[in-house]
Amino acid sequence: MNLAAALLPVTQADVSNTYQVTDTLPVDNARTTVRFQLATATTDGTKVMYFVCLYTSRGQPLLDKDLERWLCDRKQLLSQTGRSKVAVRVRFYVRRNFHQKGLATYIVDGEENLFRRWGAKEIQVFAMDLGRWVWTRERFRYSIPPFDFGLMQQRYREWQRATGVSKIRLATCLSDFPKEFLLSPAVGTLPLFKSL
Amino acid sequence: MTSELKVYNQFREVILHIRVASGDEAGFYTIDATDEMKAAISNIRGLDFDRTVGKGNELLRFTAKWGSPEYAQVLARYLVNNFGWTTKLVETQQPSVANSLAASGSYLCYYVGTSRSLPEASYSLVAKVTTEDPEQHPSPLVDTTTTAAQTVELSCQP
């Protein structure tokens, strides 16, 4: 299988266009690059990995690391048993001086449209670093598998105990975990998902 | 094959102790666990394990088929790498190089721990030494911590 076939019914141009952003944002679309890799016969079936670099009009990078996404045609679902087409948000590190400018929201919305058109049944996120706080906000509507939520509950209890909290609290949902906990070394990577 | 997995928190308390059977009779049996861990573990019964952990610029992936012999070890490695917990793994019904000890009248060792593809972090293995008559000779646990590719050698004493 080649790249074009793996991306059907979308095209490489559709993917690239997703990262052409509105001119109200500090991105020079002409400098944007999208690099594709194809891996066949992986654990996740055929896998398209792509990497995006964004720059300002002065050539300054907007991202600390290349934005990285995977499109897997047979990845294990987190919302239910079985395998299907899954889009994975791997890395998206916006440089600090470009935070709060609407770039992430713009790109995330565009990506969801792309993933839907590609036929993804689910979007998965490896929430790392600041993403552990960002992606767990209700507005993004991500869920955490019950297994991982249970582990987080356990870790949250221990974290409170270690930090001297007198009255231990339990989180009832993902957004109940406080920012200090989510961004602490107590937590590694959170697997999150959203059904499309 | 059956494995026993113990998970310890930062306070050195056991937060999860399960028996994991592989093969045709694959399953979990919870021996001891906090409510949170019990709830957590009940949700992966029967499922292939697949989790990814970011470490710096690297992604570490932990996958195991449900019922496979490596399932317990993969689960243990994930808990160590993503939550900083400590684990101890006892594998039973494994061929033992310590059978000669039994012939000399010492304890029969059902297990010799050999770390396989371990992560860079230190990793705990526990070797369970049982006697032919557990009623007469309590079964001690011999704990040892290994780093990658080390072999645990047991000293079995009556």
Side-chain angles (χ1 to χ4, degrees):
Chain A
M1 183 183 282
N2 62 24
L3 179 60
L7 283 171
L8 284 174
V10 300
T11 64
Q12 282 179 256
D14 291 329
V15 176
S16 297
N17 288 339
T18 301
Y19 301 95
Q20 295 290 303
V21 304
T22 175
D23 56 11
T24 59
L25 293 168
V27 180
D28 182 352
N29 285 321
R31 293 176 186 261
T32 297
T33 62
V34 183
R35 184 165 45 90
F36 292 90
Q37 283 180 11
L38 176 68
T40 54
T42 74
T43 311
D44 305 322
T46 300
K47 186 172 177 178
V48 176
M49 295 162 280
Y50 66 87
F51 308 85
V52 182
C53 301
L54 302 172
Y55 300 92
T56 66
S57 56
R58 297 167 67 180
Q60 188 182 7
L62 280 101
L63 307 178
D64 277 327
K65 298 175 183 176
D66 293 356
L67 178 149
E68 182 176 348
R69 301 292 184 249
W70 300 343
L71 301 174
C72 309
D73 75 350
R74 210 173 158 274
K75 183 165 170 53
Q76 189 172 313
L77 296 166
L78 291 175
S79 57
Q80 55 182 291
T81 57
R83 292 176 175 272
S84 189
K85 290 177 90 169
V86 172
V88 186
R89 291 191 155 119
V90 183
R91 291 189 174 92
F92 187 19
Y93 289 85
V94 179
R95 287 201 163 184
R96 186 169 292 276
N97 48 333
F98 297 109
H99 285 188
Q100 307 294 327
K101 295 190 188 302
L103 175 65
T105 303
Y106 188 93
I107 285 181
V108 164
D109 289 348
E111 283 181 335
E112 288 206 10
N113 288 331
L114 174 75
F115 298 156
R116 275 200 179 86
R117 287 176 55 205
W118 177 66
K121 190 163 188 177
E122 186 175 280
I123 302 174
Q124 297 180 4
V125 177
F126 305 146
M128 300 177 266
D129 302 314
L130 192 58
R132 294 171 298 189
W133 168 249
V134 175
W135 293 117
T136 52
R137 298 310 87 208
E138 278 181 15
R139 68 178 182 274
F140 290 111
R141 304 190 320 278
Y142 276 93
S143 303
I144 185 169
F147 167 66
D148 306 88
F149 186 69
L151 300 180
M152 287 287 286
Q153 287 275 34
Q154 174 67 38
R155 202 68 186 88
Y156 183 37
R157 182 187 285 277
E158 293 164 10
W159 178 81
Q160 291 177 82
R161 194 171 149 195
T163 51
V165 172
S166 55
K167 190 178 176 187
I168 301 291
R169 293 182 178 190
L170 279 181
T172 56
C173 62
L174 189 56
S175 58
D176 278 354
F177 292 117
K179 188 175 188 178
E180 296 75 19
F181 167 66
L182 287 171
L183 299 185
S184 75
V187 181
T189 301
L190 296 182
L192 306 175
F193 68 91
K194 180 194 286 191
S195 298
L196 295 178
Chain B
M1 190 179 80
T2 304
S3 304
E4 273 191 29
L5 173 64
K6 275 188 178 182
V7 182
Y8 297 83
N9 66 13
Q10 65 192 99
F11 307 107
R12 294 183 158 275
E13 299 160 341
V14 176
I15 56 173
L16 179 69
H17 183 188
I18 54 172
R19 189 171 299 136
V20 185
S22 62
D24 294 339
E25 297 180 359
F28 284 149
Y29 173 71
T30 306
I31 298 164
D32 189 19
T34 63
D35 290 344
E36 291 83 2
M37 296 301 276
K38 198 180 293 179
I41 214 75
S42 69
N43 284 291
I44 56 170
R45 197 183 303 267
L47 301 177
D48 294 345
F49 192 81
D50 187 355
R51 290 292 184 273
T52 299
V53 175
K55 292 270 183 188
N57 281 328
E58 285 187 33
L59 295 174
L60 306 177
R61 189 161 179 185
F62 303 87
T63 60
K65 289 268 183 203
W66 172 253
S68 66
E70 65 270 17
Y71 190 96
Q73 192 182 53
V74 169
L75 174 62
R77 288 172 54 190
Y78 173 69
L79 297 176
V80 168
N81 275 279
N82 206 37
F83 294 94
W85 289 320
T86 307
T87 61
K88 288 183 180 177
L89 193 61
V90 181
E91 292 178 9
T92 54
Q93 299 171 23
Q94 281 280 73
S96 172
V97 298
N99 282 342
S100 58
L101 291 168
S104 69
S106 303
Y107 283 101
L108 176 64
C109 298
Y110 286 103
Y111 171 83
V112 170
T114 304
S115 66
R116 288 188 280 254
S117 54
L118 292 177
E120 66 283 1
S122 68
Y123 192 85
S124 296
L125 289 172
V126 61
K128 188 174 186 179
V129 184
T130 59
T131 67
E132 292 174 65
D133 184 353
E135 292 298 316
Q136 287 185 7
H137 306 282
S139 167
L141 286 176
V142 181
D143 292 7
T144 185
T145 300
T146 69
T147 52
Q150 285 184 321
T151 301
V152 182
E153 292 184 0
L154 301 179
S155 96
C156 300
Q157 297 173 352

